[in-house]
Amino acid sequence: MRILVGVTGGIAAYKAAGVIRGFTELGHTVKVLPTQNALRFIGATTLEALSHNAVDPDLYTDVDSVKHIALAQEADLIVVAPATAAFLARYASGIADDLLLNVLLATKAKVVVAPAMHTEMWFHPATISNIETIRSRGVVVIEPAVGRLTGEDTGAGRLPEPEVIVNGALASLANQDLAGMKVTIATGGTREPIDSVRYIGNRSSGKQGIALADAAAARGAQVSLIAINIETDLSRFDRVAHVSTTQELSVALSEQVIDSDVLLMPAAVSDFKVESAIAGKLSRSESANQAIQLVANPDVLAGLADLKLARGLKTVLVGFAAEVIPSGENSGTLQQRAEAKLTRKKIDLIVANDVSDGKVFDADSNDVVIVSTKGATYSKGTKLEVANDVLDAVVHLVG
Ligand code: CTP
């Protein structure tokens, strides 16, 4: 795809470098169009090196090539990151006083803006009204994150991390086949306390579940996220519940599942917990000979499948299995193991990957088999690409 990245003049302009790199690493052709003020914050050389294309922000060079029209027509997608308050005001008013705004007024491509500014400016009635105006014209606005701003202050207005912008912008081109559907996603890894400071945890980063949430939201779903010990920024999602233990997850899910059309469960749930967690902190001398007694946790997903059957619910239940396949003749292939787990848990669809080498944890890509009663498909790519393949399988199953 041909992507034009507009950069406007704010301190967050340096983060545009990560956005450009994110698009080029996914194989897209990127041209960068900074405003003159953006070049006070980031050099044209950096933008040229990262995009592998020349940068010329001047409206009055190469006039004979009518470059604002050429740039407007050749782009499949235009992403402005960061978008300052002044840029948004000029764009909302249709003031085409530089090359970027000329291109934006001339293009038929999808436009995505990622605003960044101080909290007071973001919540100023003028900015609110400008955002409403451009949204009503079909522009996708990636909401600013909450966090540390340029000075000592913190609040809403921070430019989201480049991967959030890249994923959000690409997802904006998605069709709306999940419109009207309620999709719940539980992601991350549970922690079972040993004492008040230590726990039994696992290596799940929650990235695949967050990619599913991004993809489902972009396809029009109403997404509820159950975040299990996730510390990354989730402010772009409207409904987020934070939980930590398997017990808390189980309670949150039993409340959600009745009301959901689809439940996706890329959660790493501990199969056991400490029988009696110690109140306070176990000291070195106490812990020397301390045995930790483990007891089984319930299989939360299988329990929800039973609830579904008992109540005649229609919720599509999707499990995720990270398999460590033992060597030996009877261990079965990844697909066979996934099929067996699908039947055993009485769920509708299962997504399985082979984690024997441990490489998938915290990685940005994945390689899975997706198994349902309608057959098996394979998916390999970024976690966002895999997320979309999983959602395709869900749509195929219910369709
Ligand atoms: N799961 C769950 N409750 C558990 C364990 C797992 O709800 N106590 C869910 C996971 O969130 C996942 C699916 O079940 O969506 C498959 O997880 P997996 O760990 O592969 O299932 P196990 O039954 O623990 O399989 P195994 O016997 O291979 O450990």
Side-chain angles (χ1 to χ4, degrees), residues 91-108:
Y91 186 27
S93 306
I95 299 173
D97 59 354
D98 62 11
L99 183 55
L100 177 59
L101 282 155
N102 272 271
V103 170
L104 286 168
L105 262 57
T107 194
K108 290 197 168 64

Side-chain angles (χ1 to χ4, degrees), residues 101-351:
L101 282 155
N102 272 271
V103 170
L104 286 168
L105 262 57
T107 194
K108 290 197 168 64
K110 186 88 191 166
V111 178
V112 176
V113 300
M117 62 199 74
H118 274 273
T119 310
E120 293 77 3
M121 297 169 78
W122 175 242
F123 287 121
H124 191 282
T127 306
I128 291 172
S129 152
N130 291 330
I131 290 287
E132 271 173 19
T133 302
I134 60 170
R135 270 199 170 125
S136 72
R137 294 174 183 155
V139 173
V140 172
V141 178
I142 298 179
E143 294 274 327
V146 177
R148 180 80 192 270
L149 303 169
T150 317
E152 292 300 303
D153 44 351
T154 38
R158 187 181 156 84
L159 189 71
E161 291 312 306
E163 68 168 23
V164 173
I165 297 172
V166 168
N167 289 347
L170 295 176
S172 74
L173 299 172
N175 69 23
Q176 296 294 297
D177 57 353
L178 298 180
M181 282 186 125
K182 290 182 180 167
V183 175
T184 297
I185 299 162
T187 193
T190 58
R191 292 178 184 172
E192 303 299 338
I194 297 171
D195 63 15
S196 58
V197 292
R198 303 177 180 94
Y199 56 82
I200 298 172
N202 59 68
R203 295 176 62 192
S204 174
S205 65
K207 280 186 179 176
Q208 185 61 71
I210 295 168
L212 280 159
D214 277 322
R219 291 167 71 155
Q222 183 183 312
V223 173
S224 294
L225 199 56
I226 300 181
I228 316 164
N229 300 305
I230 292 185
E231 273 141 36
T232 52
D233 177 30
L234 300 173
S235 56
R236 63 192 179 282
F237 301 109
D238 291 338
R239 297 171 199 77
V240 183
H242 289 274
V243 299
S244 184
T245 63
T246 303
Q247 166 66 16
E248 289 165 9
L249 171 68
S250 180
V251 170
L253 275 170
S254 50
E255 285 164 7
Q256 278 283 337
V257 77
I258 296 164
D259 196 32
S260 301
D261 298 300
V262 183
L263 168 67
L264 299 149
M265 188 99 171
V269 185
S270 176
D271 283 323
F272 43 79
K273 66 176 181 181
V274 177
E275 188 172 33
S276 332
I278 290 145
K281 186 184 166 201
L282 201 59
S283 70
R284 173 188 278 269
S285 57
E286 284 166 332
S287 58
N289 296 310
Q290 177 84 34
I292 294 176
Q293 181 67 37
L294 300 177
V295 290
N297 262 333
D299 184 328
V300 181
L301 188 57
L304 294 173
D306 290 337
L307 182 76
K308 174 180 165 173
L309 283 172
R311 296 229 196 150
L313 303 175
K314 295 268 177 287
T315 317
V316 176
L317 298 178
V318 183
F320 287 72
E323 296 289 320
V324 177
I325 302 178
S327 54
E329 277 177 20
N330 298 326
S331 43
T333 63
L334 182 64
Q335 185 175 329
Q336 286 165 342
R337 293 168 73 90
E339 283 161 353
K341 211 168 257 189
L342 180 84
T343 312
R344 177 157 51 83
K345 291 193 187 245
K346 292 184 246 153
I347 55 179
D348 303 288
L349 203 141
I350 192 154
V351 181

